[in-house]
Amino acid sequence: MARQNHSGIVRRIQVLLSAFLLLYCELAKLCAAPSQGGPVAYELRYVGANDPHVSIRMTLPSPVPAPSALVIPRSYPGGYSFIPYDDFVENVSALSPEGESIKCKKDADGPRWSIGQEGERISRIEYQVNVSRMEDRIRDSVESSKIRKDYVGLLGYSVFGYIDGLEQSPITLQVDGPEEWPVLSTLDPPATVPSSTAKARAANYDILADSQVVMGPAVQFRELTGKIDLLMAVYSEGNEDVDAESKLAREALDRVQEYFGDTPFPTYTVLLELLQPREGHEYNFSQEHDTSGTFSLSVDGATNAHSPESHHYSALFNYAHHMAHSWVPKRVWGVGYRPFNWELTPVIETIWFNEGFGRYAGIQAIIAGLPEEERKTRRERVITRTRGILNDAPPFIKRMPMTLLSQEASFLYAADFRTGMNIFGRGFLMATDMDDRIQAQTGGKKSLRDAFRALLAWSATNQRAIQVGEMTRIISESTGVDVQDIVARWMEAPLR
């Protein structure tokens, strides 16, 4: 009996020791993990004098244990492609809290630099980005940052990296340019013409990466107030009427804001680049960001006294289309869009919603200000062109159900634009069918605009990807019109 009691006591002690050791290991892991308490301080500097580089310094809120990893993006939200921005990163270095140099080594695979060894601590990382080489090698003008005479335009995700594990840490940013150069960060656009230093904050890395930095005496600024203020930053290598362009952008933003009905950010920034074409480069593309847009065009797209009559509407739609993306999908999104994978091109199941519904909202916002007959005519033209895209698609694309086509377009949207055109086309026509039914059954008292507003409200509360079934229910409930059969039909391959 005594031996049995002794054995039981030993077993209980062993269990307690095992539990203690497990707890100790978990606490040790937590202590070794990167701290997310304070902000990561980013500093970006451009010295000028035709330097092809910008310099980045990251100071951590508290030292993190090595080994750690610096990650540079290879993809960006709404890009649907692979862009090796890490190819243009040079001279990566790191320091300990004592100021001692720490070894940095580029991984053989992936856009990562391994920082330090066991027992070391990291407090600061520095590197340079060769922006001129980036523009030489990346031929799509809207995917590359640029350094030109008296001008620097930087896409956040092309220059800012992050420390693995600190993506959700708050961020401070300081940008320094040459003396007397105006400097702007779209994270916190100023109420007046920028000075040679810009300071801003971001809630996390995603917000920092989806921002822009602009500087240089060649940039022209315009501030236009409204329900959402508009800041224009225009760099033109040709004949551009900046005031006329600003009025177009102001009109587009007003109509988009009115369509969605809310003001989720105080200021929207347009970075407009009008560039003399370089051989082998592609122009006339635009890219949405969280609260801004990059509009990178050839000088042929300038607004001036020589602009053709059709220019006004096409420019207005281009602005509205990309401004609408600051609501869809930036503030209501489907499966695969967020959380965003910066290292790999993410597989997104709902590009039809991002691009098709976003496109539809932009067009509806613009034509809402037109006379009724012109509104109907323009809408029918777009619908006819879009149906033509789908009718002319190769049979194998026609046979693809919506989710599969979206997954393919996640990688090939622009590289094989058959995927891009057909996925936004299907989404656009799904939205068209919904809106037509909603307006017909409610006598025009409701429209898809009411559904958009309900979806945005749902997303603001839930802060996660919306499932297709949830989206269908919210659209039906907010308008009082059942759209389940429309969704089911388009989610298959309706043109096969």
Side-chain angles (χ1 to χ4, degrees):
M1 187 72 176
R3 286 183 180 177
Q4 289 178 349
N5 286 341
H6 178 71
S7 298
I9 292 170
V10 169
R11 281 196 297 272
R12 284 195 291 272
I13 290 173
Q14 289 174 333
V15 169
L16 288 171
L17 283 172
S18 297
F20 174 78
L21 287 171
L22 180 62
L23 178 61
Y24 176 81
C25 290
E26 291 302 315
L27 287 172
K29 288 179 184 178
L30 288 173
C31 292
S35 169
Q36 297 193 11
V40 179
Y42 283 75
E43 299 171 71
L44 184 151
R45 183 172 178 80
Y46 178 65
V47 298
N50 300 317
D51 190 340
H53 302 86
V54 295
S55 300
I56 310 292
R57 173 184 291 176
M58 302 164 58
T59 303
L60 307 183
S62 58
V64 299
S68 191
L70 168 68
V71 184
I72 303 294
R74 281 184 170 176
S75 184
Y76 62 89
Y80 314 123
S81 59
F82 171 87
I83 311 291
Y85 291 119
D86 54 300
D87 284 356
F88 313 108
V89 172
E90 302 172 351
N91 303 320
V92 178
S93 63
L95 292 176
S96 71
E98 296 75 30
E100 297 175 349
S101 180
I102 296 175
K103 184 178 179 180
C104 305
K105 182 181 179 182
K106 178 73 158 63
D107 290 1
D109 298 311
R112 290 177 168 237
W113 277 257
S114 297
I115 312 293
Q117 300 176 346
E118 290 284 350
E120 295 180 314
R121 294 189 304 158
I122 307 160
S123 64
R124 196 169 79 196
I125 295 174
E126 299 183 11
Y127 60 91
Q128 291 181 309
V129 180
N130 192 324
V131 177
S132 294
R133 187 155 57 89
M134 182 191 302
E135 187 181 6
D136 285 341
R137 296 193 181 182
I138 297 178
R139 299 301 181 92
D140 187 331
S141 66
V142 82
E143 292 181 341
S144 177
S145 293
K146 300 168 188 70
I147 292 178
R148 302 284 180 92
K149 185 178 185 300
D150 293 333
Y151 171 69
V152 176
L154 304 174
L155 300 162
Y157 39 73
S158 76
V159 296
F160 294 124
Y162 63 89
I163 297 300
D164 194 17
L166 294 182
E167 303 96 297
Q168 295 306 312
S169 294
I171 285 167
T172 63
L173 172 66
Q174 177 169 320
V175 183
D176 294 307
E179 188 175 356
E180 298 184 357
W181 273 36
V183 174
L184 165 73
S185 165
T186 61
L187 288 172
D188 187 16
T192 59
V193 175
S195 65
S196 59
T197 296
K199 295 184 178 182
R201 292 180 175 271
N204 52 45
Y205 175 78
D206 285 8
I207 300 299
L208 171 70
D210 207 15
S211 69
Q212 302 142 284
V213 170
V214 185
M215 66 176 82
V219 184
Q220 300 183 65
F221 296 95
R222 297 290 189 275
E223 297 121 20
L224 294 86
T225 59
K227 288 186 178 179
I228 297 175
D229 291 338
L230 173 67
L231 178 62
M232 299 287 294
V234 181
Y235 169 71
S236 178
E237 296 178 343
N239 179 20
E240 165 71 4
D241 186 336
V242 177
D243 292 325
E245 190 79 53
S246 300
K247 289 180 181 178
L248 286 172
R250 176 74 267 175
E251 183 180 356
L253 183 57
D254 286 342
R255 293 191 183 185
V256 170
Q257 184 279 323
E258 184 178 355
Y259 186 81
F260 289 113
D262 62 349
T263 55
F265 39 86
T267 303
Y268 184 92
T269 304
V270 166
L271 169 56
L272 174 62
E273 299 174 330
L274 293 155
L275 308 169
Q276 291 289 347
R278 293 185 175 182
E279 186 177 355
H281 285 64
E282 297 181 356
Y283 298 88
N284 301 327
F285 292 96
S286 303
Q287 178 61 44
E288 69 276 0
H289 308 292
D290 191 56
T291 59
S292 58
T294 299
F295 301 83
S296 192
L297 316 175
S298 73
V299 290
D300 294 341
T303 296
N304 54 48
H306 304 291
S307 298
E309 192 173 325
S310 60
H311 176 83
H312 177 95
Y313 181 79
S314 61
L316 203 60
F317 168 69
N318 189 45
Y319 281 128
H321 172 94
H322 291 91
M323 289 169 174
H325 281 316
S326 285
W327 281 264
V328 179
K330 296 295 183 182
R331 281 160 179 81
V332 55
W333 63 93
V335 175
Y337 185 76
R338 285 180 176 162
F340 192 75
N341 186 338
W342 296 98
E343 294 188 67
L344 298 172
T345 305
V347 180
I348 302 174
E349 297 181 4
T350 50
I351 296 178
W352 54 268
F353 178 70
N354 298 3
E355 302 299 330
F357 276 56
R359 186 180 185 87
Y360 186 83
I363 288 176
Q364 289 299 108
I366 290 301
I367 67 174
L370 300 176
E372 184 176 357
E373 283 305 313
E374 186 178 356
R375 184 166 64 245
K376 289 180 180 178
T377 300
R378 287 197 179 276
R379 185 174 185 269
E380 282 304 316
R381 284 180 190 166
V382 178
I383 291 171
T384 300
R385 284 199 302 269
T386 307
R387 291 196 188 282
I389 291 171
L390 271 59
N391 289 332
D392 294 341
F396 81 94
I397 286 183
K398 290 182 179 181
R399 290 193 294 268
M400 284 185 179
M402 189 87 92
T403 299
L404 177 58
L405 182 58
S406 182
Q407 291 169 337
E408 291 283 358
S410 298
F411 306 88
L412 299 170
Y413 190 93
D416 186 336
F417 199 40
R418 295 177 300 175
T419 64
M421 288 191 298
N422 278 274
I423 197 63
F424 83 62
R426 290 192 196 181
F428 179 89
L429 292 175
M430 182 200 292
T432 300
D433 288 351
M434 288 182 179
D435 206 6
D436 286 346
R437 178 182 290 182
I438 292 166
Q439 294 197 50
Q441 291 192 10
T442 64
K445 294 180 180 178
K446 294 278 188 178
S447 71
L448 193 62
R449 181 176 68 172
D450 298 283
F452 275 120
R453 294 181 178 189
L455 290 169
L456 287 161
W458 179 93
S459 185
T461 299
N462 291 275
Q463 289 296 304
R464 63 169 175 83
I466 189 168
Q467 301 288 329
V468 174
E470 294 173 317
M471 186 188 303
T472 306
R473 175 181 56 79
I474 292 168
I475 294 172
S476 298
E477 290 178 354
S478 63
T479 61
V481 176
D482 189 354
V483 297
Q484 291 185 72
D485 62 313
I486 293 175
V487 174
R489 174 166 53 86
W490 280 103
M491 291 304 293
E492 292 303 316
L495 298 177
R496 72 173 115 189

